[in-house]
Each structure stands twice: as structure tokens, then as C-alpha cells.
Amino acid sequence: HIHGEIKLYEVWYHLSIIVCVYYAIRRKSPFIMRSVALSSLSLISLLLFYHVGGRYSYLSWTLSLIVLSYSIKNNFLPFIKKIRI
């Protein structure tokens, strides 16, 4: 089931799982983001063992991409603004 859900070339899914784990275990993360990350990880862990269908996988990947976009907004964009070309 892992090969059916996560392709090797879909790097953003791998990155979103890593970011969800980071926000789930980080103590200073906001409660909402920690909750979304934990729910996303629980749904992704379900997807890795069972083929649950479309809407559940869409929900899990949407939640993980929300956490990834929050991380990009708060960590990556301020770093980019500091760099002057």
C-alpha cells in the first residue's frame, strides 16, 4: 500500500510527513498545528496499512499539506526575505 499512496518522485509528500512529525513532537508548536499534525499522521499511518479509498486519503494529505504550508510560511519565507540579491 505504501507504493500506491506515496510515489518516490512526490517529494512534497515525504517532506510533509517529516514536517508533520516535527510539529507533532515540538513543544513550542501551536496547539492547532500540533493537533492537525497528529491527526494527519494518524490518518497517514492508517493509509500505509489499509487501502481506505479516495476521500480519506485526500483528507490526510490535505491536512499534511496544510502543516507543510504553515511551516513554509513561518520558517522558509522569513529566511528568503532576509536574503538580498
Side-chain angles (χ1 to χ4, degrees):
H1 295 287
I2 293 173
H3 182 67
E5 288 294 326
I6 306 172
K7 309 284 190 292
L8 189 60
Y9 58 86
E10 295 174 332
V11 180
W12 55 92
Y13 287 145
H14 300 280
L15 186 61
S16 66
I17 292 172
I18 292 168
V19 169
C20 283
V21 169
Y22 174 72
Y23 273 101
I25 62 174
R26 184 176 171 227
R27 292 195 181 254
K28 293 184 179 182
S29 63
F31 178 73
I32 297 294
M33 280 299 116
R34 184 180 288 178
S35 301
V36 172
L38 285 172
S39 63
S40 172
L41 288 173
S42 66
L43 286 170
I44 289 172
S45 65
L46 180 71
L47 288 175
L48 296 180
F49 295 106
Y50 301 106
H51 181 68
V52 293
R55 61 182 164 180
Y56 297 110
S57 64
Y58 295 148
L59 175 66
S60 63
W61 292 120
T62 302
L63 289 175
S64 66
L65 291 174
I66 286 171
V67 175
L68 178 65
S69 65
Y70 177 81
S71 172
I72 289 172
K73 178 184 157 268
N74 287 334
N75 298 328
F76 188 65
L77 290 180
F79 177 72
I80 294 296
K81 286 182 181 180
K82 290 179 184 177
I83 299 174
R84 300 284 179 170
I85 297 177

Coordinates of all heavy atoms in Angstrom, one line a residue:
H1 N 0.8 -1.2 0.0 CA 0.0 0.0 0.0 C 0.8 1.3 0.0 O 0.4 2.3 -0.4 CB -1.0 0.0 1.2 CG -2.0 -1.1 1.1 ND1 -3.0 -1.0 0.2 CD2 -2.1 -2.2 1.8 CE1 -3.7 -2.1 0.4 NE2 -3.2 -2.9 1.3
I2 N 2.1 1.2 0.5 CA 2.9 2.3 0.6 C 3.2 2.8 -0.9 O 3.2 4.0 -1.1 CB 4.2 2.0 1.3 CG1 3.9 1.8 2.8 CG2 5.2 3.2 1.2 CD1 5.1 1.3 3.6
H3 N 3.5 1.9 -1.8 CA 3.8 2.3 -3.1 C 2.6 2.9 -3.8 O 2.8 3.8 -4.7 CB 4.3 1.1 -3.9 CG 4.7 1.4 -5.3 ND1 5.8 2.2 -5.6 CD2 4.2 1.1 -6.5 CE1 5.9 2.4 -6.9 NE2 4.9 1.7 -7.5
G4 N 1.4 2.5 -3.5 CA 0.2 3.0 -4.1 C -0.1 4.5 -3.6 O -0.7 5.2 -4.4
E5 N 0.2 4.8 -2.4 CA -0.1 6.1 -1.9 C 1.0 7.1 -2.1 O 0.8 8.3 -2.5 CB -0.4 6.0 -0.4 CG -1.7 5.4 0.0 CD -2.9 6.2 -0.5 OE1 -2.8 7.4 -0.5 OE2 -3.9 5.6 -0.9
I6 N 2.3 6.7 -1.8 CA 3.4 7.7 -1.9 C 4.4 7.2 -3.0 O 5.0 6.1 -2.9 CB 4.2 7.7 -0.6 CG1 3.2 8.1 0.6 CG2 5.3 8.8 -0.6 CD1 3.8 8.0 1.9
K7 N 4.4 8.0 -4.1 CA 5.4 7.7 -5.1 C 6.8 8.2 -4.8 O 6.8 9.2 -4.0 CB 4.9 8.3 -6.5 CG 3.5 7.9 -6.8 CD 3.4 6.5 -7.3 CE 2.1 6.2 -7.9 NZ 0.9 6.2 -7.1
L8 N 7.8 7.7 -5.3 CA 9.2 8.2 -5.0 C 9.4 9.6 -5.5 O 10.1 10.4 -4.8 CB 10.2 7.2 -5.6 CG 11.6 7.4 -5.2 CD1 11.8 7.3 -3.7 CD2 12.5 6.4 -5.9
Y9 N 8.8 10.0 -6.6 CA 9.0 11.3 -7.2 C 8.2 12.4 -6.5 O 8.4 13.5 -6.8 CB 8.8 11.3 -8.7 CG 7.4 10.8 -9.1 CD1 6.4 11.7 -9.2 CD2 7.2 9.5 -9.4 CE1 5.1 11.3 -9.6 CE2 6.0 9.1 -9.8 CZ 4.9 10.0 -9.9 OH 3.7 9.6 -10.3
E10 N 7.2 12.0 -5.7 CA 6.4 13.0 -5.0 C 7.1 13.4 -3.7 O 6.7 13.0 -2.6 CB 5.0 12.4 -4.7 CG 4.3 12.1 -6.0 CD 2.9 11.4 -5.8 OE1 2.8 10.7 -4.8 OE2 2.1 11.6 -6.6
V11 N 8.0 14.3 -3.8 CA 8.9 14.7 -2.7 C 8.1 15.5 -1.7 O 8.4 15.4 -0.5 CB 10.1 15.5 -3.3 CG1 11.0 16.0 -2.1 CG2 10.9 14.7 -4.3
W12 N 7.1 16.3 -2.2 CA 6.3 17.1 -1.2 C 5.6 16.3 -0.2 O 5.4 16.7 0.9 CB 5.4 18.0 -2.0 CG 4.5 17.3 -2.9 CD1 3.2 16.8 -2.7 CD2 4.7 17.0 -4.3 NE1 2.7 16.2 -3.7 CE2 3.6 16.3 -4.8 CE3 5.8 17.1 -5.2 CZ2 3.5 15.8 -6.1 CZ3 5.7 16.7 -6.4 CH2 4.5 16.0 -6.9
Y13 N 5.2 15.0 -0.6 CA 4.5 14.2 0.4 C 5.5 13.7 1.5 O 5.2 13.7 2.7 CB 3.9 13.0 -0.3 CG 2.6 13.3 -1.0 CD1 2.3 12.6 -2.2 CD2 1.8 14.3 -0.6 CE1 1.2 12.9 -2.9 CE2 0.6 14.6 -1.3 CZ 0.3 13.9 -2.4 OH -0.8 14.2 -3.1
H14 N 6.7 13.3 1.0 CA 7.8 12.9 2.0 C 8.1 14.1 2.9 O 8.2 13.9 4.1 CB 9.0 12.5 1.3 CG 8.8 11.3 0.4 ND1 8.7 10.0 0.8 CD2 8.6 11.3 -1.0 CE1 8.5 9.2 -0.2 NE2 8.5 9.9 -1.3
L15 N 8.2 15.3 2.4 CA 8.5 16.5 3.2 C 7.4 16.8 4.1 O 7.7 17.2 5.3 CB 8.8 17.7 2.2 CG 9.3 18.9 2.9 CD1 10.6 18.7 3.6 CD2 9.5 20.0 1.8
S16 N 6.2 16.7 3.7 CA 5.1 17.0 4.5 C 5.0 16.0 5.7 O 4.6 16.4 6.8 CB 3.7 17.0 3.8 OG 3.4 15.7 3.3
I17 N 5.3 14.7 5.5 CA 5.3 13.8 6.6 C 6.4 14.2 7.6 O 6.2 14.1 8.8 CB 5.5 12.3 6.1 CG1 4.3 11.9 5.3 CG2 5.8 11.4 7.3 CD1 4.5 10.6 4.6
I18 N 7.6 14.5 7.1 CA 8.7 15.0 8.0 C 8.3 16.2 8.8 O 8.5 16.3 10.1 CB 9.9 15.2 7.2 CG1 10.5 13.9 6.7 CG2 11.0 15.9 8.1 CD1 11.5 14.0 5.6
V19 N 7.6 17.2 8.2 CA 7.2 18.4 8.9 C 6.1 18.1 9.9 O 6.1 18.7 11.0 CB 6.8 19.4 7.8 CG1 6.1 20.6 8.5 CG2 8.0 19.9 7.0
C20 N 5.2 17.2 9.5 CA 4.2 16.8 10.5 C 4.7 16.1 11.7 O 4.3 16.4 12.8 CB 3.1 15.9 9.8 SG 2.0 16.7 8.8
V21 N 5.7 15.3 11.5 CA 6.4 14.7 12.7 C 7.1 15.7 13.5 O 7.0 15.7 14.8 CB 7.4 13.6 12.2 CG1 8.3 13.1 13.4 CG2 6.6 12.4 11.6
Y22 N 7.7 16.7 12.9 CA 8.4 17.8 13.6 C 7.4 18.6 14.4 O 7.7 18.9 15.6 CB 9.1 18.7 12.6 CG 9.8 19.9 13.2 CD1 10.9 19.8 14.0 CD2 9.2 21.1 13.0 CE1 11.5 20.9 14.5 CE2 9.8 22.3 13.5 CZ 10.9 22.2 14.3 OH 11.4 23.3 14.9
Y23 N 6.3 19.0 13.8 CA 5.3 19.8 14.6 C 4.6 19.0 15.6 O 4.1 19.6 16.6 CB 4.4 20.5 13.6 CG 4.9 21.8 13.1 CD1 5.4 21.9 11.8 CD2 4.8 22.9 13.9 CE1 5.9 23.1 11.4 CE2 5.3 24.1 13.4 CZ 5.8 24.2 12.2 OH 6.3 25.4 11.7
A24 N 4.5 17.7 15.4 CA 3.8 16.9 16.5 C 4.7 16.7 17.7 O 4.1 16.7 18.8 CB 3.5 15.5 15.9
I25 N 6.0 16.7 17.6 CA 6.9 16.4 18.7 C 7.5 17.7 19.3 O 8.0 17.7 20.4 CB 8.0 15.4 18.4 CG1 8.9 15.9 17.3 CG2 7.4 14.1 18.1 CD1 10.1 15.0 17.1
R26 N 7.4 18.8 18.5 CA 8.0 20.1 19.0 C 7.1 20.7 20.1 O 5.9 20.8 19.9 CB 8.1 21.0 17.8 CG 8.7 22.3 18.2 CD 8.9 23.2 16.9 NE 9.3 24.5 17.3 CZ 8.8 25.6 16.8 NH1 7.8 25.6 16.0 NH2 9.2 26.8 17.3
R27 N 7.7 21.0 21.2 CA 6.9 21.6 22.3 C 6.4 23.0 22.1 O 5.4 23.3 22.6 CB 7.8 21.5 23.6 CG 8.1 20.1 24.1 CD 8.6 20.2 25.5 NE 8.9 18.8 25.9 CZ 8.1 18.2 26.7 NH1 7.0 18.7 27.2 NH2 8.4 17.0 27.1
K28 N 7.1 23.8 21.3 CA 6.7 25.2 21.2 C 5.8 25.4 20.0 O 5.5 26.5 19.6 CB 7.9 26.1 21.0 CG 8.8 26.1 22.2 CD 9.9 27.1 22.0 CE 10.7 27.2 23.3 NZ 11.8 28.2 23.2
S29 N 5.3 24.3 19.3 CA 4.4 24.5 18.2 C 3.0 24.8 18.7 O 2.6 24.4 19.8 CB 4.4 23.2 17.4 OG 3.8 22.1 18.2
P30 N 2.3 25.6 18.0 CA 0.9 26.0 18.4 C 0.0 24.8 18.5 O 0.2 23.8 17.8 CB 0.4 26.9 17.3 CG 1.7 27.3 16.5 CD 2.7 26.3 16.7
F31 N -0.9 24.9 19.4 CA -1.8 23.7 19.7 C -2.6 23.3 18.5 O -2.7 22.1 18.2 CB -2.8 24.1 20.8 CG -3.7 23.0 21.2 CD1 -3.3 21.9 21.8 CD2 -5.1 23.1 20.8 CE1 -4.2 20.9 22.1 CE2 -5.9 22.1 21.1 CZ -5.5 21.0 21.7
I32 N -3.0 24.2 17.7 CA -3.8 23.9 16.5 C -2.9 23.1 15.5 O -3.3 22.1 14.9 CB -4.4 25.2 15.8 CG1 -5.3 25.9 16.8 CG2 -5.0 24.9 14.5 CD1 -6.6 25.1 17.0
M33 N -1.7 23.6 15.3 CA -0.8 22.9 14.3 C -0.4 21.5 14.8 O -0.3 20.6 14.1 CB 0.4 23.8 14.0 CG 0.2 24.9 13.0 SD -0.3 24.2 11.4 CE -2.0 24.9 11.3
R34 N -0.2 21.4 16.1 CA 0.1 20.1 16.7 C -1.0 19.2 16.5 O -0.8 18.0 16.2 CB 0.5 20.3 18.2 CG 0.9 18.9 18.8 CD 1.3 19.1 20.2 NE 2.5 19.8 20.3 CZ 3.1 20.1 21.5 NH1 2.5 19.8 22.6 NH2 4.2 20.7 21.5
S35 N -2.2 19.7 16.7 CA -3.4 18.8 16.6 C -3.6 18.4 15.1 O -3.9 17.2 14.8 CB -4.7 19.5 17.0 OG -4.6 19.9 18.4
V36 N -3.4 19.3 14.2 CA -3.6 19.0 12.8 C -2.5 18.0 12.4 O -2.7 17.0 11.6 CB -3.5 20.3 11.9 CG1 -3.5 19.9 10.4 CG2 -4.7 21.1 12.2
A37 N -1.3 18.2 12.9 CA -0.2 17.3 12.5 C -0.4 15.9 13.1 O -0.2 14.9 12.4 CB 1.2 17.9 13.0
L38 N -0.9 15.8 14.3 CA -1.2 14.5 14.9 C -2.3 13.8 14.2 O -2.2 12.6 13.9 CB -1.5 14.6 16.4 CG -0.3 14.9 17.3 CD1 -0.8 15.2 18.7 CD2 0.7 13.7 17.3
S39 N -3.3 14.5 13.8 CA -4.4 13.9 13.1 C -4.0 13.5 11.7 O -4.4 12.4 11.2 CB -5.6 14.8 13.0 OG -5.3 16.0 12.3
S40 N -3.1 14.3 11.1 CA -2.6 13.9 9.7 C -1.7 12.6 9.8 O -1.9 11.7 9.0 CB -1.8 15.0 9.2 OG -1.2 14.6 8.0
L41 N -0.9 12.6 10.8 CA 0.0 11.4 11.0 C -0.8 10.1 11.3 O -0.5 9.1 10.8 CB 1.0 11.7 12.1 CG 2.1 12.6 11.7 CD1 3.0 12.9 12.9 CD2 3.0 12.1 10.6
S42 N -1.9 10.3 12.1 CA -2.7 9.1 12.4 C -3.4 8.6 11.1 O -3.5 7.4 10.9 CB -3.7 9.4 13.5 OG -4.6 10.4 13.1
L43 N -3.9 9.5 10.3 CA -4.6 9.1 9.0 C -3.6 8.5 8.0 O -3.9 7.6 7.3 CB -5.3 10.3 8.4 CG -6.6 10.7 9.1 CD1 -7.1 12.0 8.5 CD2 -7.6 9.7 8.9
I44 N -2.4 9.1 8.0 CA -1.3 8.6 7.1 C -0.9 7.2 7.5 O -0.7 6.3 6.7 CB -0.2 9.6 7.0 CG1 -0.6 10.8 6.2 CG2 1.1 8.9 6.3 CD1 0.4 11.9 6.2
S45 N -0.8 7.0 8.8 CA -0.4 5.7 9.3 C -1.5 4.6 9.0 O -1.2 3.5 8.7 CB -0.1 5.7 10.8 OG -1.3 6.0 11.5
L46 N -2.7 5.0 8.9 CA -3.8 4.2 8.5 C -3.7 3.9 7.0 O -3.9 2.7 6.6 CB -5.2 4.8 8.8 CG -6.4 4.0 8.5 CD1 -6.5 2.8 9.4 CD2 -7.6 4.9 8.5
L47 N -3.3 4.9 6.2 CA -3.2 4.7 4.8 C -2.1 3.7 4.4 O -2.1 3.1 3.4 CB -2.9 6.0 4.1 CG -4.1 7.0 4.0 CD1 -3.6 8.3 3.4 CD2 -5.2 6.4 3.2
L48 N -1.0 3.7 5.3 CA 0.1 2.8 5.0 C -0.2 1.3 5.2 O 0.5 0.5 4.6 CB 1.3 3.2 5.8 CG 1.8 4.6 5.6 CD1 3.0 4.9 6.5 CD2 2.2 4.8 4.1
F49 N -1.2 1.0 5.9 CA -1.6 -0.4 6.2 C -2.8 -0.9 5.5 O -3.0 -2.0 5.2 CB -1.7 -0.7 7.7 CG -0.4 -0.5 8.4 CD1 -0.2 0.6 9.2 CD2 0.6 -1.4 8.3 CE1 1.0 0.8 9.8 CE2 1.8 -1.2 8.9 CZ 2.0 -0.1 9.7
Y50 N -3.8 0.0 5.2 CA -5.1 -0.3 4.6 C -5.3 0.6 3.4 O -5.0 1.7 3.4 CB -6.2 -0.2 5.6 CG -6.1 -1.0 6.8 CD1 -5.7 -0.4 8.0 CD2 -6.3 -2.4 6.8 CE1 -5.6 -1.2 9.2 CE2 -6.1 -3.1 7.9 CZ -5.8 -2.5 9.1 OH -5.6 -3.3 10.2
H51 N -6.0 0.0 2.4 CA -6.4 0.8 1.3 C -7.8 1.3 1.6 O -8.8 0.6 1.6 CB -6.5 -0.1 0.0 CG -6.9 0.7 -1.2 ND1 -6.1 1.7 -1.7 CD2 -8.0 0.7 -1.9 CE1 -6.7 2.2 -2.8 NE2 -7.9 1.6 -2.9
V52 N -7.9 2.6 2.0 CA -9.2 3.1 2.5 C -10.0 3.8 1.5 O -11.2 4.1 1.7 CB -8.9 4.0 3.7 CG1 -8.4 3.2 4.9 CG2 -8.0 5.2 3.4
G53 N -9.5 4.2 0.4 CA -10.3 4.9 -0.7 C -9.9 6.3 -0.8 O -9.0 6.8 -0.2
G54 N -10.7 7.0 -1.6 CA -10.3 8.4 -2.0 C -10.4 9.4 -1.0 O -9.5 10.1 -0.7
R55 N -11.6 9.6 -0.4 CA -11.8 10.8 0.5 C -11.0 10.8 1.7 O -10.5 11.8 2.2 CB -13.3 10.9 0.8 CG -13.9 9.8 1.6 CD -15.3 10.0 1.8 NE -15.9 8.7 2.2 CZ -17.1 8.6 2.5 NH1 -17.9 9.6 2.4 NH2 -17.6 7.4 2.8
Y56 N -10.6 9.6 2.3 CA -9.8 9.6 3.5 C -8.4 9.9 3.2 O -7.7 10.6 3.9 CB -9.9 8.2 4.2 CG -11.3 7.9 4.6 CD1 -12.0 6.9 4.0 CD2 -11.8 8.6 5.7 CE1 -13.3 6.6 4.5 CE2 -13.1 8.3 6.1 CZ -13.8 7.3 5.5 OH -15.1 7.0 5.9
S57 N -7.9 9.4 2.0 CA -6.5 9.8 1.6 C -6.4 11.2 1.3 O -5.4 11.9 1.6 CB -6.0 8.9 0.5 OG -6.8 9.1 -0.7
Y58 N -7.5 11.8 0.6 CA -7.5 13.2 0.3 C -7.4 14.1 1.6 O -6.7 15.1 1.7 CB -8.7 13.6 -0.5 CG -8.8 13.0 -1.9 CD1 -10.0 12.7 -2.4 CD2 -7.6 12.7 -2.6 CE1 -10.1 12.1 -3.7 CE2 -7.7 12.2 -3.8 CZ -8.9 11.9 -4.4 OH -9.0 11.3 -5.6
L59 N -8.2 13.6 2.6 CA -8.2 14.4 3.9 C -6.8 14.3 4.5 O -6.3 15.3 5.0 CB -9.3 13.8 4.8 CG -9.3 14.4 6.2 CD1 -9.7 15.8 6.2 CD2 -10.2 13.6 7.1
S60 N -6.2 13.1 4.6 CA -4.9 13.0 5.3 C -3.9 13.8 4.6 O -3.1 14.5 5.2 CB -4.5 11.6 5.3 OG -4.3 11.0 4.0
W61 N -3.8 13.8 3.2 CA -2.8 14.6 2.5 C -3.1 16.1 2.6 O -2.2 16.9 2.6 CB -2.6 14.1 1.1 CG -2.1 12.7 1.0 CD1 -2.6 11.6 0.5 CD2 -0.8 12.3 1.6 NE1 -1.8 10.5 0.7 CE2 -0.7 10.9 1.3 CE3 0.2 12.9 2.2 CZ2 0.4 10.2 1.7 CZ3 1.3 12.2 2.6 CH2 1.4 10.8 2.3
T62 N -4.4 16.4 2.6 CA -4.7 17.9 2.7 C -4.3 18.4 4.1 O -3.7 19.5 4.2 CB -6.2 18.1 2.5 OG1 -6.6 17.6 1.2 CG2 -6.6 19.5 2.6
L63 N -4.5 17.6 5.1 CA -4.0 18.1 6.5 C -2.5 18.2 6.5 O -2.0 19.1 7.1 CB -4.6 17.1 7.5 CG -6.1 17.1 7.8 CD1 -6.4 16.0 8.8 CD2 -6.5 18.5 8.3
S64 N -1.8 17.2 5.9 CA -0.4 17.3 6.0 C 0.2 18.4 5.1 O 1.1 19.1 5.5 CB 0.2 16.0 5.5 OG 0.0 15.7 4.2
L65 N -0.5 18.7 4.0 CA 0.0 19.9 3.2 C -0.4 21.2 3.9 O 0.3 22.2 3.7 CB -0.6 19.8 1.8 CG -0.1 18.6 1.0 CD1 -0.8 18.5 -0.4 CD2 1.4 18.8 0.7
I66 N -1.4 21.2 4.7 CA -1.7 22.5 5.5 C -0.6 22.7 6.5 O -0.1 23.8 6.6 CB -3.1 22.3 6.2 CG1 -4.2 22.5 5.2 CG2 -3.2 23.4 7.3 CD1 -5.6 22.2 5.8
V67 N -0.1 21.7 7.1 CA 1.0 21.8 8.1 C 2.3 22.2 7.3 O 3.0 23.1 7.8 CB 1.2 20.5 8.9 CG1 2.4 20.6 9.8 CG2 0.0 20.2 9.7
L68 N 2.5 21.6 6.2 CA 3.7 22.0 5.4 C 3.6 23.5 4.9 O 4.6 24.2 5.0 CB 3.8 21.1 4.1 CG 4.9 21.4 3.2 CD1 6.3 21.1 3.9 CD2 4.8 20.6 1.9
S69 N 2.4 23.9 4.5 CA 2.3 25.3 4.1 C 2.5 26.3 5.3 O 3.1 27.3 5.1 CB 1.0 25.6 3.4 OG -0.1 25.4 4.3
Y70 N 2.0 25.9 6.5 CA 2.3 26.7 7.7 C 3.7 26.8 8.0 O 4.3 27.8 8.3 CB 1.5 26.1 8.8 CG 1.7 26.8 10.1 CD1 1.0 27.9 10.4 CD2 2.6 26.3 11.1 CE1 1.2 28.6 11.6 CE2 2.8 27.0 12.3 CZ 2.1 28.1 12.5 OH 2.3 28.8 13.7
S71 N 4.4 25.6 7.8 CA 5.9 25.6 8.1 C 6.6 26.5 7.1 O 7.6 27.2 7.4 CB 6.4 24.2 8.0 OG 7.8 24.1 8.1
I72 N 6.2 26.4 5.8 CA 6.9 27.3 4.8 C 6.7 28.7 5.1 O 7.6 29.5 5.0 CB 6.4 26.9 3.4 CG1 7.0 25.5 3.0 CG2 6.8 27.9 2.4 CD1 6.4 24.9 1.7
K73 N 5.4 29.1 5.5 CA 5.1 30.5 5.7 C 5.9 31.0 6.9 O 6.4 32.1 6.9 CB 3.6 30.6 6.0 CG 3.2 32.0 6.4 CD 1.7 32.0 6.7 CE 1.3 33.1 7.6 NZ 1.4 32.9 9.0
N74 N 6.0 30.2 8.0 CA 6.7 30.7 9.2 C 8.2 30.5 9.2 O 8.9 31.2 10.0 CB 6.1 30.1 10.4 CG 4.7 30.6 10.7 OD1 4.4 31.7 10.3 ND2 3.9 29.8 11.3
N75 N 8.7 29.6 8.5 CA 10.2 29.3 8.6 C 10.9 29.6 7.3 O 12.0 30.2 7.4 CB 10.4 27.8 8.9 CG 9.8 27.4 10.2 OD1 9.8 28.2 11.2 ND2 9.3 26.2 10.4
F76 N 10.4 29.3 6.2 CA 11.1 29.5 4.9 C 11.0 30.9 4.4 O 12.0 31.5 3.9 CB 10.7 28.5 3.9 CG 11.5 28.4 2.7 CD1 12.8 28.0 2.7 CD2 11.0 28.8 1.5 CE1 13.6 28.0 1.6 CE2 11.7 28.7 0.3 CZ 13.1 28.4 0.4
L77 N 9.8 31.5 4.4 CA 9.6 32.8 3.8 C 10.4 33.9 4.5 O 11.0 34.8 3.9 CB 8.2 33.1 3.6 CG 7.4 32.3 2.6 CD1 5.9 32.7 2.6 CD2 8.0 32.4 1.2
P78 N 10.4 33.9 5.9 CA 11.2 35.0 6.5 C 12.7 34.8 6.2 O 13.4 35.8 6.1 CB 11.0 34.7 8.0 CG 9.7 34.1 8.1 CD 9.6 33.2 6.8
F79 N 13.2 33.6 6.0 CA 14.6 33.4 5.6 C 14.8 33.9 4.2 O 15.9 34.5 4.0 CB 14.9 31.9 5.7 CG 16.3 31.5 5.2 CD1 17.4 31.9 6.0 CD2 16.5 30.9 4.0 CE1 18.6 31.5 5.6 CE2 17.8 30.6 3.6 CZ 18.8 30.9 4.4
I80 N 13.9 33.8 3.3 CA 14.0 34.3 2.0 C 14.0 35.8 2.0 O 14.8 36.5 1.2 CB 12.9 33.7 1.0 CG1 13.1 32.2 0.9 CG2 12.9 34.4 -0.3 CD1 14.4 31.8 0.2
K81 N 13.2 36.4 2.8 CA 13.1 37.9 2.9 C 14.4 38.5 3.4 O 14.7 39.6 3.0 CB 12.0 38.3 3.8 CG 10.6 38.1 3.2 CD 9.5 38.6 4.1 CE 8.2 38.4 3.5 NZ 7.1 38.9 4.4
K82 N 15.2 37.8 4.2 CA 16.4 38.3 4.7 C 17.5 38.3 3.6 O 18.5 39.1 3.7 CB 16.9 37.4 5.9 CG 16.1 37.6 7.1 CD 16.6 36.7 8.2 CE 15.8 36.8 9.4 NZ 16.3 35.8 10.5
I83 N 17.4 37.4 2.7 CA 18.4 37.4 1.6 C 18.2 38.5 0.6 O 17.1 38.6 0.0 CB 18.4 36.0 0.9 CG1 18.7 34.9 1.9 CG2 19.4 36.0 -0.3 CD1 18.5 33.5 1.3
R84 N 19.2 39.3 0.4 CA 19.2 40.4 -0.6 C 20.0 40.0 -1.8 O 21.2 39.7 -1.6 CB 19.6 41.7 0.0 CG 18.8 42.2 1.2 CD 17.5 42.7 0.7 NE 16.8 43.2 1.9 CZ 15.7 43.8 1.8 NH1 15.2 44.2 0.7 NH2 15.0 44.2 2.9
I85 N 19.5 40.2 -2.9 CA 20.3 39.9 -4.2 C 20.7 41.2 -4.8 O 20.1 42.1 -4.9 CB 19.5 39.0 -5.1 CG1 19.2 37.7 -4.5 CG2 20.3 38.8 -6.4 CD1 18.3 36.8 -5.4

